Amino acid sequence: GLLYQEYRDKSTREEIETRRLQDSQTDPEGTSPSEETPSEAESTSTSENKAPPQINLLRNSNSRFNLWQDLPEVQNSGVLSILQPDEIKLQEAMFELVTSEASYYKSLNLLVSHFMENERLKKILHQSEAHILFSNVLDVMAVSERFLLDLEQRVEENIVISDVCDIVYQHTVNHFSVYITYVSNQTYQERTYKQLLQDKPAFREVISQLELDPKCKGLSFSSFLILPFQRITRLKLLVQNILKKVEEKSDRESTALDAHKELETVVKACNEGVRKMSRTEQMISIQKKLEFKIKSVPIISHSRWLLKQGELQQMNGPKTSRTLRTKKLFREIYLFLFNDLLVICRQIPGDKYQVFDSAPRGLLRVEELEDQGQSLANVFILRLLENADDREASYMLKASSQSEMKRWMISLAPNRRTKFVSFTSRLVDCPQIQCVHPYVAQQPDELSLELADVLNILDKTDDGWIFGERLHDQERGWFPSSMGEEILNPKIRAQNLKECFRVHKSDDSQRRKLGSRNRQ
């Protein structure tokens, strides 16, 4: 049996390759691109698929994860000759959700039995350290076990699976809050793990030895710790995959939409839990660095967080001055942009910043200067409709690169029209890209990417950055263009949009707002 990390990685790689194949087809008529996407269950080899399966995936962790149609019970029943191809694909999508949960449970069980309950590790860790490191993983595992048992029972009721999304819905509503608790602890978990590696050589040694055990298949301890967050996110995508295959306006569509909506709520709560922990500490740190030359503005607020910070060059003198070519034309300023406030500073000794102007974020406007020559390259105008002195103020600002200029402009004025309009405006076509290399965001305005993510390209720069909107959750942000491959086939792009609209059809009022939604 595969560990969930192997299982997930292999399935996403296959998804990427299948999409590449679809994209290279010059005439995809008669095919439905979404239906060609391989399931996670396809990750086993042909020779393995011929082996008799063990339906009871929970109690037999060595069982192979086969395609539903490869199960002897299915093949011997004759249903494959009766069912329509679309129904077979739906059966595969539902079976995939079950088998992937079995793989996930196996990996969770290894985290607990191999790492958490290791006697040497118990002696090294203080009780509080162990609590932060493993959090409520026992609760998470118990929820996964109960969930998997219910899924297995459904599979065993009939070789043709009636539905699984009703089970997903019930468990999400009644039990999946344990994921929010676990994931919200992630910031402290990561910090504690790094601190233990640094301060306790004995801990580092034991972890290294445990990772070398063949059971772990070369996977790191940290890859086991992040399993719950990966799973709850992936589960939402698996339900989306089912939703794309059920018949429209059917009971199964309604159930899948309900399950997806509840999972989306849990995933958002998980994300907010992680962000809240790190944001609070960040705001306290910024508050300590600021000294106000103007009337003081309280920085710390439970509803405020940092979107972007950094240095820009401010042009001295009137903005029409185009004859000066020396660096003295500009002086350095430092901006802190929050979700509701802009603070403009100058850096002073002692890692401090002196605030000389501010404005509500909603009263900011930006304007790009074009074809102004080298000295005014990457320059834009920032207007404060009402600044700290209750007056309108303008700043001519120069960024270090084209991408940095565009990133500032989009962050300062998020509702400003981008180069390519978002898919939520219901355009027939829009540039798209699929992620082929995972990316971890380095700045607040960047977007972390998972393998096989599909995004609409809203803007791009000449120096290798893309501003994108991910289709499955409408999260927006910047990422290097080298992380993805553009989808060139317009029919594939159209199919991706159609699927996305269908997934989010359960809340029309919310969907109408998506065009102006920004991840910030």
Side-chain angles (χ1 to χ4, degrees):
L2 295 172
L3 291 176
Y4 186 68
Q5 297 96 313
E6 303 172 291
Y7 196 47
R8 184 172 173 270
D9 183 63
K10 193 164 185 178
S11 68
T12 49
R13 292 288 180 188
E14 289 181 357
E15 190 174 342
I16 288 170
E17 291 304 320
T18 300
R19 202 173 282 129
R20 279 174 176 161
L21 181 63
Q22 294 168 352
D23 196 33
S24 66
Q25 292 173 354
T26 54
D27 182 19
E29 289 286 352
T31 63
S32 177
S34 64
E35 293 173 353
E36 298 299 324
T37 303
S39 68
E40 289 184 6
E42 288 182 54
S43 60
T44 50
S45 67
T46 305
S47 61
E48 286 180 325
N49 284 339
K50 293 178 181 177
Q54 299 290 334
I55 294 288
N56 195 325
L57 301 169
L58 177 63
R59 288 182 285 277
N60 187 342
S61 61
N62 293 318
S63 61
R64 295 186 174 95
F65 301 132
N66 302 279
L67 288 171
W68 173 81
Q69 60 192 300
D70 287 334
L71 295 173
E73 293 88 345
V74 173
Q75 291 188 340
N76 296 334
S77 68
V79 294
L80 293 175
S81 61
I82 301 171
L83 296 178
Q84 294 295 316
D86 286 349
E87 178 62 31
I88 292 174
K89 286 167 184 170
L90 174 58
Q91 290 294 313
E92 297 292 6
M94 292 190 289
F95 190 63
E96 172 187 6
L97 189 146
V98 181
T99 56
S100 63
E101 187 66 28
S103 176
Y104 166 64
Y105 177 79
K106 178 182 179 180
S107 290
L108 274 184
N109 195 38
L110 191 57
L111 171 62
V112 171
S113 63
H114 187 62
F115 291 99
M116 181 180 173
E117 295 178 351
N118 180 270
E119 291 300 325
R120 289 178 62 196
L121 205 56
K122 281 183 179 180
K123 292 175 182 177
I124 295 169
L125 292 176
H126 187 274
Q127 188 175 354
S128 61
E129 293 171 334
H131 177 69
I132 295 173
L133 205 56
F134 296 103
S135 189
N136 64 327
V137 69
L138 291 176
D139 295 335
V140 173
M141 190 168 76
V143 164
S144 175
E145 181 175 354
R146 189 184 304 126
F147 181 43
L148 182 55
L149 285 170
D150 284 352
L151 289 171
E152 284 190 351
Q153 184 178 350
R154 177 63 56 82
V155 172
E156 291 167 357
E157 285 174 1
N158 195 313
I159 53 173
V160 178
I161 306 168
S162 58
D163 198 359
V164 293
C165 288
D166 57 330
I167 298 173
V168 175
Y169 173 81
Q170 291 296 334
H171 281 261
T172 304
V173 170
N174 297 319
H175 307 299
F176 282 6
S177 60
V178 296
Y179 282 96
I180 302 172
T181 304
Y182 186 93
V183 175
S184 297
N185 180 56
Q186 187 175 311
T187 301
Y188 298 123
Q189 184 187 63
E190 290 175 355
R191 184 182 306 161
T192 300
Y193 180 50
K194 289 177 182 176
Q195 201 69 41
L196 286 168
L197 289 174
Q198 182 179 323
D199 297 345
K200 290 190 174 183
F203 173 81
R204 189 167 61 244
E205 181 185 346
V206 171
I207 289 295
S208 296
Q209 289 176 357
L210 292 174
E211 287 176 336
L212 290 173
D213 192 295
K215 293 177 188 173
C216 295
K217 299 188 177 181
L219 296 164
S220 67
F221 174 53
S222 57
S223 77
F224 286 90
L225 289 177
I226 63 172
L227 282 169
F229 185 49
Q230 289 181 333
R231 180 55 183 172
I232 196 66
T233 306
R234 186 66 176 172
L235 196 57
K236 188 186 84 165
L237 298 181
L238 291 171
V239 170
Q240 281 188 8
N241 195 34
I242 293 171
L243 184 51
K244 294 169 187 176
K245 293 174 171 58
V246 294
E247 55 278 20
E248 293 195 47
K249 298 181 180 179
S250 64
D251 289 342
R252 289 197 292 193
E253 183 190 54
S254 177
T255 307
L257 285 168
D258 289 343
H260 180 267
K261 185 177 180 181
E262 292 301 327
L263 280 169
E264 200 163 47
T265 301
V266 173
V267 171
K268 284 180 180 177
C270 287
N271 285 327
E272 280 306 306
V274 173
R275 289 170 183 163
K276 187 176 180 180
M277 295 289 187
S278 56
R279 282 171 178 171
T280 302
E281 294 183 349
Q282 188 178 46
M283 296 300 291
I284 293 171
S285 174
I286 293 172
Q287 173 81 63
K288 291 177 180 177
K289 294 180 179 180
L290 299 183
E291 294 183 1
F292 285 83
K293 187 178 179 181
I294 56 173
K295 182 180 178 181
S296 179
V297 177
I299 295 297
I300 298 176
S301 165
H302 73 278
S303 60
R304 178 175 294 152
W305 60 87
L306 182 72
L307 296 182
K308 190 170 179 61
Q309 69 179 73
E311 186 178 272
L312 291 169
Q313 303 289 320
Q314 179 194 358
M315 179 178 176
N316 292 319
K319 68 178 182 179
T320 53
S321 299
R322 298 179 183 175
T323 57
L324 299 176
R325 291 290 183 264
T326 64
K327 274 196 169 183
K328 293 180 181 177
L329 180 63
F330 298 97
R331 64 182 299 185
E332 295 173 354
I333 63 170
Y334 201 92
L335 272 57
F336 288 96
L337 178 65
F338 304 98
N339 61 308
D340 62 347
L341 176 71
L342 172 68
V343 175
I344 306 176
C345 322
R346 289 192 179 91
Q347 194 161 7
I348 57 178
D351 194 26
K352 298 277 188 178
Y353 299 89
Q354 187 180 65
V355 181
F356 64 88
D357 209 350
S358 66
R361 188 183 179 215
L363 297 179
L364 303 177
R365 301 293 183 269
V366 293
E367 175 189 343
E368 183 177 354
L369 293 183
E370 297 179 355
D371 303 323
Q372 300 297 326
Q374 186 59 39
S375 66
L376 292 182
N378 308 319
V379 171
F380 66 98
I381 306 295
L382 170 63
R383 282 205 301 275
L384 282 57
L385 300 184
E386 187 177 302
N387 72 349
D389 297 324
D390 298 325
R391 295 182 302 176
E392 184 171 329
S394 291
Y395 294 90
M396 181 177 276
L397 303 175
K398 181 179 176 69
S400 59
S401 65
Q402 185 197 40
S403 60
E404 191 62 14
M405 177 190 71
K406 285 200 171 188
R407 287 170 68 163
W408 270 112
M409 292 178 71
I410 286 177
S411 295
L412 289 162
N415 294 326
R416 181 175 172 270
R417 185 184 176 93
T418 53
K419 184 175 181 180
F420 306 105
V421 181
S422 162
F423 78 92
T424 46
S425 65
R426 292 178 173 273
L427 282 189
V428 174
D429 199 10
C430 178
Q432 290 178 5
I433 192 169
Q434 81 159 328
C435 171
V436 295
H437 303 290
Y439 181 69
V440 178
Q442 306 298 311
Q443 300 292 334
D445 65 338
E446 294 180 8
L447 182 63
S448 292
L449 301 178
E450 297 280 354
L451 286 173
D453 278 351
V454 176
L455 306 97
N456 279 309
I457 300 173
L458 306 185
D459 213 330
K460 59 169 67 172
T461 67
D462 295 335
D463 53 352
W465 284 84
I466 288 176
F467 183 57
E469 183 173 53
R470 187 163 46 217
L471 264 62
H472 77 73
D473 60 5
Q474 289 82 56
E475 289 281 311
R476 290 183 176 189
W478 291 90
F479 55 89
S481 57
S482 58
M483 296 298 107
E485 295 175 352
E486 196 160 340
I487 298 173
L488 303 176
N489 192 322
K491 293 187 178 181
I492 304 299
R493 295 196 297 265
Q495 180 68 28
N496 290 337
L497 295 186
K498 181 182 177 183
E499 290 174 353
C500 186
F501 286 132
R502 187 178 181 193
V503 164
H504 294 282
K505 71 185 284 187
S506 60
D507 192 344
D508 267 327
S509 62
Q510 182 181 6
R511 186 176 61 193
R512 286 194 294 270
K513 297 176 185 176
L514 293 179
S516 61
R517 179 188 289 179
N518 188 291
R519 73 182 291 266
Q520 299 154 344

